[in-house]
Amino acid sequence: MQQYHDCPQIVREFLTYHETIKGQSQRTISEYYLDLRMFLRFIRLMRNDMPISTSLEDIPIKDIDLDFIRSISRTEVLEFLSYLANDRTPNPESAVPDCGIEAAARARKLSTIKSFYKYLTVRTKQISENPVADLEYPKLRKSLPKYLTLEQSAALLKAVSGPNEVRDYAILMIFLNCGIRRSELVGLNLTDIYEDRLRVVGKGNKERFVYFGASCRKAIDAYLVERNKKVLSDNRALFGSRDNNRISVTAVHRLVKKALLQAGLDSTQFSAHKLRHTAATMMLAGGVDVKTVQEVLGHENLNTTQIYTHIENTELKIAAEANPLSKLDFSEHEDSSEPRDESDE
């Protein structure tokens, strides 16, 4: 926790709890740290009656104690959310900086604050009042996740080339067949490969098995011939980099973008995470029930998985409209003089 030295002790204890007890990833811990640091700096800024133009980076918070945290009101939290929506500049270095950050980013910061107060009131019982217990999240614009069609997926696989072709092809096959997260792929070890499935360590260090088909098995086998000739710095790793280290999340991001460009696909619209969406959509299109897809993807909440059922409904609508009979006009055969029989409606 040395990297969080500029935060109050109570915040560092919260971060340690989520790292050691809850098993959260380092990325999640870092996001909690940044969100809480910004929140507490804002509260101190407002209480000291400084101009809103004062940089939050200049506000010290290391000496903040439990009494300060306890004194924060619901109104002050709402003022912070208002600041994020109207005054916070996401990219101050741009030629014409925008003011206000998106609802999803505001919701994440509120989620951090809620988690912090839940830790203080429920987990450790250091305070009794929770000012954000019933605070609603910003309304998010609902949009369907982007995904590749079957034809685009095939084009992506076919386009893979270069010195790491066998490795990259295996990685893309795993993404498209198994729908695992990028971080989960990076964490795969040689011992996690079984005859027809992968052992995956997901969020919160939760383990699950994800099965794959014959084509994916073939791609993995082809890569293993190459992998077994290499010695990596972490020789447990399934996928290695060109400098013989475990492959990184950044490297996976780059190889996916490269393959998308080679396939003539829009690399700004698709990513490794969109391949996860693609796998989920293909599973539902193949008749897999949503509960099973939830288990495959490692979603804790079924509602997270159900977004893909909306995609599938869209596919069904397209399929119905593609039926030649849907374009025929039968109106001339209708006899408006006869009464409608509504007995079956």
Side-chain angles (χ1 to χ4, degrees), residues 204-216:
N205 287 324
K206 293 181 180 178
E207 296 184 6
R208 70 184 189 279
F209 281 102
V210 181
Y211 288 79
F212 49 74
S215 58
C216 189

Side-chain angles (χ1 to χ4, degrees), residues 4 11 30 99 136 211 220 244 246 252 325 337 342-343:
Y4 309 129
V11 172
S30 179
C99 288
E136 295 180 359
Y211 288 79
I220 293 172
N244 292 326
R246 180 186 290 272
V252 172
L325 290 175
S337 64
E342 300 182 354
S343 60

Side-chain angles (χ1 to χ4, degrees), residues 193 211 240 291:
I193 305 296
Y211 288 79
K291 183 67 177 176

Side-chain angles (χ1 to χ4, degrees), residues 255-271:
L255 76 86
V256 171
K257 291 293 184 181
K258 176 185 174 185
L260 287 165
L261 288 170
Q262 290 173 331
L265 299 169
D266 189 346
S267 63
T268 65
Q269 295 294 313
F270 300 110
S271 62

Side-chain angles (χ1 to χ4, degrees), residues 171-183:
I171 287 174
L172 293 174
M173 284 292 286
I174 289 175
F175 276 141
L176 289 169
N177 278 262
C178 303
I180 66 175
R181 301 178 178 92
R182 191 170 50 176
S183 59

Side-chain angles (χ1 to χ4, degrees), residues 50-332:
M50 299 178 189
I52 191 67
S53 59
T54 303
S55 173
L56 289 184
E57 303 301 318
D58 298 330
I59 309 298
I61 58 170
K62 190 173 182 179
D63 61 331
I64 282 179
D65 57 15
L66 188 61
D67 287 338
F68 184 96
I69 300 294
R70 186 186 288 112
S71 70
I72 295 175
S73 68
R74 181 188 180 91
T75 299
E76 287 176 310
V77 177
L78 289 171
E79 287 176 351
F80 175 64
L81 295 176
S82 176
Y83 159 73
L84 294 176
N86 301 300
D87 301 304
R88 181 68 179 174
T89 303
N91 185 15
E93 296 181 359
S94 62
V96 183
D98 294 326
C99 288
I101 61 176
E102 294 181 352
R106 302 199 307 272
R108 193 202 75 190
K109 295 184 189 306
L110 178 56
S111 177
T112 297
I113 297 170
K114 280 176 170 283
S115 181
F116 182 51
Y117 274 100
K118 183 177 180 180
Y119 163 79
L120 293 173
T121 56
V122 178
R123 304 300 180 196
T124 61
K125 294 181 171 50
Q126 296 183 66
I127 62 177
S128 57
E129 298 295 326
N130 184 345
V132 295
D134 301 320
L135 200 59
E136 295 180 359
Y137 286 100
K139 188 174 182 180
L140 302 180
R141 181 176 62 87
K142 293 184 179 180
S143 59
L144 298 178
K146 294 184 182 297
Y147 62 97
L148 298 176
T149 64
L150 181 59
E151 293 74 18
Q152 289 172 326
S153 300
L156 178 66
L157 293 168
K158 188 176 180 180
V160 177
S161 62
N164 296 308
E165 178 178 345
V166 177
R167 182 202 68 181
D168 295 355
Y169 185 82
I171 287 174
L172 293 174
M173 284 292 286
I174 289 175
F175 276 141
L176 289 169
N177 278 262
C178 303
I180 66 175
R181 301 178 178 92
R182 191 170 50 176
S183 59
E184 293 171 345
L185 181 130
V186 167
L188 286 175
N189 291 325
L190 288 166
T191 53
D192 293 328
I193 305 296
Y194 294 81
E195 183 178 350
D196 57 355
R197 60 196 184 278
L198 301 172
R199 185 183 71 90
V200 177
V201 180
K203 290 185 176 181
N205 287 324
K206 293 181 180 178
E207 296 184 6
R208 70 184 189 279
F209 281 102
V210 181
Y211 288 79
F212 49 74
S215 58
C216 189
R217 175 78 253 186
K218 185 176 179 181
I220 293 172
D221 286 342
Y223 168 68
L224 286 175
V225 173
E226 200 175 83
R227 168 65 182 87
N228 290 332
K229 296 176 183 177
K230 292 185 176 182
V231 176
L232 305 180
S233 57
D234 181 357
N235 212 37
R236 301 170 303 164
L238 174 60
F239 292 109
S241 62
R242 61 186 177 184
D243 55 1
N244 292 326
N245 291 318
R246 180 186 290 272
I247 197 169
S248 67
V249 168
T250 303
V252 172
H253 172 77
R254 285 198 300 263
L255 76 86
V256 171
K257 291 293 184 181
K258 176 185 174 185
L260 287 165
L261 288 170
Q262 290 173 331
L265 299 169
D266 189 346
S267 63
T268 65
Q269 295 294 313
F270 300 110
S271 62
H273 195 65
K274 299 301 186 290
L275 301 188
R276 176 171 161 85
H277 294 331
T278 300
T281 305
M282 296 296 181
M283 290 176 203
L284 285 167
V288 180
D289 67 88
V290 68
K291 183 67 177 176
T292 301
V293 174
Q294 176 194 5
E295 294 178 10
V296 171
L297 297 181
H299 286 160
E300 187 169 332
N301 195 317
L302 185 61
N303 290 336
T304 308
T305 316
Q306 286 178 330
I307 182 67
Y308 300 108
T309 63
H310 300 302
I311 295 175
E312 199 51 32
N313 289 340
T314 303
E315 293 291 341
L316 291 172
K317 183 176 184 295
I318 293 171
E321 291 175 348
N323 188 324
L325 290 175
S326 70
K327 297 178 175 63
L328 293 181
D329 184 3
F330 294 99
S331 59
E332 62 186 55

